[in-house]
Amino acid sequence: MYIGFDYGTSNCSIAHMLDGVPTPVAVEGDNIYIPSTLSAPTRESVTEYLFRFCQIKPSDKIGEDLLRRALAFNHDEGIELEARDVNFGQAALNHYLQDPQFTYYVKSPKSFLGSMGLRDIQIRFFEDLVCAMMANIKRQGEARLGQTIDDAVIGRPIHFQGRGGVESDRQAEAILRQAASRAGFRHIEFQFEPVAAGLEYEASLTEDKNVLVVDIGGGTTDCSLLQMGPSWKDKSDRSASLLAHTGERVGGNDLDIHISFRQLMPALGFGSKMLSGIEMPITQFWNPVAINDLPAQTDFYAKENMAALRMLHKEAQQPEKLARLIEVYQEILGHGVVRRAEEAKIGLSSAATYRATLDFLRDVVELDIQQNDMMNAIEVPKAKMMRLVSDALEQGGTKPDVIYMTGGSAKSPILKAAVAQVLPGVEVVSGNDFGSVTAGLARWAQICFR
């Protein structure tokens, strides 16, 4: 059978067609969404887990070398890996929060797939990481459906996160394809995520319209201007209906990161001064929360950075705040800070004030965040998102009849108002913020594999 597979930056989900209707499949207990997270005792445990418990072998000699290194490392460290040691989704997050110092934790690996400068062995590791997550979701879906899932249409952004342009996109899609193939999918197709979301909206149209799809996901924002409606429905070639595409590495995770940086990191010393009167270096507060930036994370958690943090603590006018930053370093708590910012973002969508609690620190910190504070914090990523909307309109050369907003961050009243300001007078409609892409991918899978 076939499915639509949304391997998202924040969440993953799958759907199949049942009596002509896209139907989601539970993939984590009774939940149809599973957070895009993984935890394991060590980084190397991911590769060993695939080989030992999923019977998934490396795809080439580089992968075989990665496996040999992983087995040797875990053996030397005295780690006897069991299947239950590798967790996915909410279980992975819970495990990380309980024991962050001794847990290898990854959120949103999709964010790194387009990174340039990766060595071949690093690419194979990312392939293993994605493969483990896909294999888990495939296994859960098959258990629910009672059937083997052979074929999948996988969603992809217009542009993956990466500075290499077309080469970044090519690398990321190749990793996804190879990972899906190793996970057991026989036939694999890709579809742009905003196009997939539009296909779901198209099912409700009774007349042809120009539709601007604004898909604000966890890692990227994608805009597609499409001709949609009854005359296009079920066509296998939609190239003539695609009037414009824009996309960039800016999404819901960036909103969380900017809220973390501007509103939470001051409690850890951001904006404070050294005894000399000089302000603390910004990068020491940006890097720990820049969870979608591999070089930033590497720099902050590098062993040599500990000496720099201790020097800042010694020279700080408010050393108690720098002590918290050192704790974030020692306990690898950057993801925890961003998680609290995400909760604040959600809370402030419907309230004027939100109290954020950094309760994973030894010295628990409580901070009140105002909605205006959040709006100021996210101004930079919001402006980038709106530029993508404007660029799509310019590229398409026509005004849409309707704006269809989808994606996890599309429910934000701040972003909805911003889009409406770019196109005053054009109706803005919302779909299933998380499920539109998955449903559209299932519809496209029916066209590809029927």
Side-chain angles (χ1 to χ4, degrees):
M1 69 175 300
Y2 56 80
I3 59 168
F5 192 155
D6 183 11
Y7 182 74
T9 304
S10 297
N11 295 282
C12 299
S13 58
I14 61 174
H16 70 122
M17 296 299 290
L18 181 63
D19 298 327
V21 178
T23 304
V25 181
V27 288
E28 186 176 38
D30 292 329
N31 297 318
I32 59 175
Y33 305 110
I34 180 170
S36 303
T37 56
L38 176 149
S39 69
T42 63
R43 181 180 186 275
E44 291 74 14
S45 296
V46 178
T47 298
E48 181 176 349
Y49 168 84
L50 274 181
F51 179 73
R52 192 180 299 280
F53 301 108
C54 301
Q55 289 74 53
I56 296 176
K57 297 179 180 179
S59 56
D60 58 18
K61 291 183 178 180
I62 299 172
E64 291 172 357
D65 186 39
L66 178 64
L67 175 60
R68 282 193 294 270
R69 294 185 190 187
L71 293 172
F73 179 88
N74 283 343
H75 178 270
D76 292 344
E77 293 294 316
I79 296 172
E80 297 182 5
L81 190 69
E82 298 183 17
R84 64 184 180 183
D85 294 334
V86 177
N87 293 284
F88 305 90
Q90 188 61 43
L93 176 60
N94 293 341
H95 192 80
Y96 162 73
L97 293 176
Q98 290 170 5
D99 192 12
Q101 187 175 8
F102 297 102
T103 300
Y104 174 75
Y105 177 76
V106 177
K107 178 181 179 181
S108 309
K110 185 178 177 182
S111 300
F112 305 122
L113 303 186
S115 299
M116 289 288 93
L118 297 176
R119 301 190 304 275
D120 287 344
I121 202 159
Q122 290 175 305
I123 290 175
R124 295 305 182 278
F125 172 71
F126 281 126
E127 183 186 300
D128 281 357
L129 195 60
V130 175
C131 181
M133 297 173 72
M134 286 185 166
N136 172 66
I137 291 169
K138 183 175 185 290
R139 185 168 59 249
Q140 299 298 326
E142 290 174 339
R144 283 280 177 169
L145 295 169
Q147 298 182 58
T148 300
I149 301 172
D150 294 314
D151 309 323
V153 171
I154 300 172
R156 55 151 292 180
I158 303 299
H159 297 298
F160 287 88
Q161 298 189 32
R163 297 180 175 86
V166 173
E167 185 56 35
S168 286
D169 294 340
R170 187 181 296 115
Q171 173 182 285
E173 186 174 300
I175 292 173
L176 286 176
R177 183 181 294 279
Q178 186 64 24
S181 177
R182 291 177 63 206
F185 293 104
R186 292 193 308 169
H187 302 106
I188 301 157
E189 299 289 342
F190 289 92
Q191 179 57 274
F192 290 128
E193 290 159 359
V195 174
L199 292 173
E200 176 60 10
Y201 177 62
E202 183 179 59
S204 67
L205 294 178
T206 57
E207 60 179 343
D208 287 356
K209 292 185 176 183
N210 289 337
V211 181
L212 176 65
V213 180
V214 181
D215 180 13
I216 306 176
T220 57
T221 293
D222 293 312
C223 300
S224 290
L225 186 59
L226 305 124
Q227 294 176 330
M228 312 203 84
S231 64
W232 293 98
K233 191 176 179 182
D234 295 330
K235 286 189 176 182
S236 58
D237 183 0
R238 297 293 299 255
S239 55
S241 72
L242 309 181
L243 304 179
H245 276 321
T246 59
E248 191 176 330
R249 172 187 172 160
V250 57
N253 285 353
D254 295 273
L255 302 180
D256 302 337
I257 288 167
H258 279 260
I259 294 169
S260 300
F261 181 60
R262 294 293 179 186
Q263 297 301 316
L264 301 184
M265 293 308 284
L268 282 69
F270 173 52
S272 65
K273 296 182 178 181
M274 292 186 278
L275 295 174
S276 63
I278 299 173
E279 283 196 1
M280 292 286 170
I282 290 177
T283 54
Q284 291 288 9
F285 304 96
W286 174 260
N287 287 352
V289 296
I291 59 172
N292 59 2
D293 187 333
L294 188 58
Q297 293 279 281
T298 301
D299 288 348
F300 181 75
Y301 290 111
K303 290 182 179 180
E304 54 268 25
N305 194 38
M306 187 66 219
L309 292 174
R310 284 175 175 159
M311 181 61 68
L312 291 177
H313 178 259
K314 182 179 179 181
E315 296 294 326
Q317 291 185 10
Q318 297 173 291
E320 71 281 1
K321 292 185 176 181
L322 270 294
R324 296 169 189 155
L325 183 64
I326 289 174
E327 186 179 352
V328 167
Y329 171 94
Q330 292 174 327
E331 303 294 331
I332 316 176
L333 295 172
H335 282 282
V337 177
V338 177
R339 174 64 176 172
R340 294 297 182 265
E342 181 183 14
E343 292 168 353
K345 178 186 69 177
I346 294 170
L348 289 168
S349 293
S350 58
T353 304
Y354 181 87
R355 172 159 289 189
T357 304
L358 304 182
D359 53 1
F360 46 80
L361 298 172
R362 286 189 292 270
D363 175 20
V364 175
V365 177
E366 293 187 340
L367 299 159
D368 286 331
I369 304 175
Q370 308 296 320
Q371 193 174 74
N372 284 340
D373 295 332
M374 181 187 73
M375 292 177 67
N376 291 333
I378 67 172
E379 183 57 36
V380 170
K382 186 188 78 172
K384 290 182 180 180
M385 294 173 182
M386 295 312 107
R387 188 175 65 248
L388 291 171
V389 174
S390 298
D391 289 349
L393 296 174
E394 183 178 351
Q395 186 185 125
T398 186
K399 186 177 180 180
D401 299 306
V402 63
I403 303 165
Y404 181 65
M405 289 190 67
T406 188
S409 295
K411 65 178 64 176
S412 166
I414 297 171
L415 297 181
K416 284 183 178 179
V419 171
Q421 190 173 8
V422 175
L423 279 163
V426 179
E427 181 185 12
V428 180
V429 299
S430 299
N432 182 332
D433 293 324
F434 289 105
S436 296
V437 170
T438 316
L441 292 172
R443 290 185 184 278
W444 193 248
Q446 185 176 44
I447 293 172
C448 291
F449 302 123
R450 63 187 173 187

